[in-house]
Amino acid sequence: PFAAMARYDLALLFDHFPQGAARGSEFPAITREAFNRTICGVALVNGTLQAHDGKCYGKKQTRIHQVHGFFHVSNLDFYRSEPVMKWNRALIGDSKFSRLFDDQIGITIPAAVLAGNRSWDMKSLGIYTRVFHNYVIDGLMRDWRGYFIPWWEKNANTSFPEARDKCEVRISA
């Protein structure tokens, strides 16, 4: 993943979209304040993020799909840039350490609006990390703890040969 970030000068490289959605009537106004665009949604198009502008003010709630937060690589120069910081200030407002909105929307919207062509899904590049999180591998393959050990035994040689005999897998309830 890190080589792909550098090779393609990406702002965001993520594994699994969409995962959940930010819901709220405030997003059109916040995106208008930050980007001078009314964002009503985000989609994955040919492996990249695409922000959808629209007339969503009349809706009681917008629903914006988000990048799954379990594994992504972020370009910190991009996320520290003034346009993204403007988004952060608009999103967080005056509250300190706000958790009103999830960090997933904080990552997804700037990438889709400002760098959609530099924000790629890992699978579109042939990258499969095999991250096991919340009983799921790579955000897609449903699994459970008791299955991971047999999966590792069967797939470690091809998925991660360097770790095959070096990593002890311990799973507890």
Side-chain angles (χ1 to χ4, degrees):
F2 300 102
M5 284 290 290
R7 183 179 303 125
Y8 300 112
D9 186 32
L10 301 180
L12 180 65
L13 182 62
F14 54 92
D15 192 9
H16 196 221
F17 178 92
Q19 176 58 35
R23 291 176 177 88
S25 59
E26 58 276 287
F27 293 115
I30 294 172
T31 58
R32 167 80 44 212
E33 178 184 338
F35 305 116
N36 200 30
R37 289 177 62 185
T38 304
I39 305 302
C40 299
V42 174
L44 188 65
V45 178
N46 297 322
T48 64
L49 292 179
Q50 186 176 79
H52 292 275
D53 296 76
K55 297 178 181 179
C56 44
Y57 274 106
K59 295 182 179 179
K60 288 185 179 180
Q61 233 184 30
T62 55
R63 185 172 186 267
I64 300 176
H65 291 293
Q66 304 174 115
V67 167
H68 198 167
F70 81 96
F71 187 75
H72 56 79
V73 183
S74 306
N75 180 322
L76 294 181
D77 289 336
F78 171 75
Y79 282 97
R80 290 175 180 150
S81 70
E82 184 51 38
V84 177
M85 295 307 291
K86 185 177 179 183
W87 158 252
N88 291 333
R89 288 189 295 273
L91 183 67
I92 295 168
D94 295 331
S95 60
K96 188 174 183 180
F97 306 120
S98 174
R99 286 297 294 169
L100 178 60
F101 303 112
D102 196 293
D103 56 329
Q104 290 171 252
I105 195 68
I107 289 288
T108 303
I109 290 288
V113 172
L114 301 171
N117 62 335
R118 295 177 52 221
S119 303
W120 291 5
D121 174 63
M122 289 183 191
K123 289 169 194 61
S124 71
L125 296 174
I127 299 171
Y128 296 88
T129 57
R130 301 296 186 244
V131 172
F132 186 70
H133 174 73
N134 287 347
Y135 309 106
V136 177
I137 295 176
D138 284 348
L140 297 173
M141 189 180 358
R142 288 249 166 244
D143 232 335
W144 68 92
R145 293 176 201 205
Y147 182 72
F148 183 77
I149 292 174
W151 181 90
W152 177 256
E153 294 296 325
K154 180 180 174 187
N155 295 288
N157 282 333
T158 55
S159 295
F160 198 9
E162 300 87 356
R164 173 69 178 97
D165 295 319
K166 296 180 179 126
C167 292
E168 182 181 346
V169 178
R170 292 184 191 179
I171 298 175
S172 59

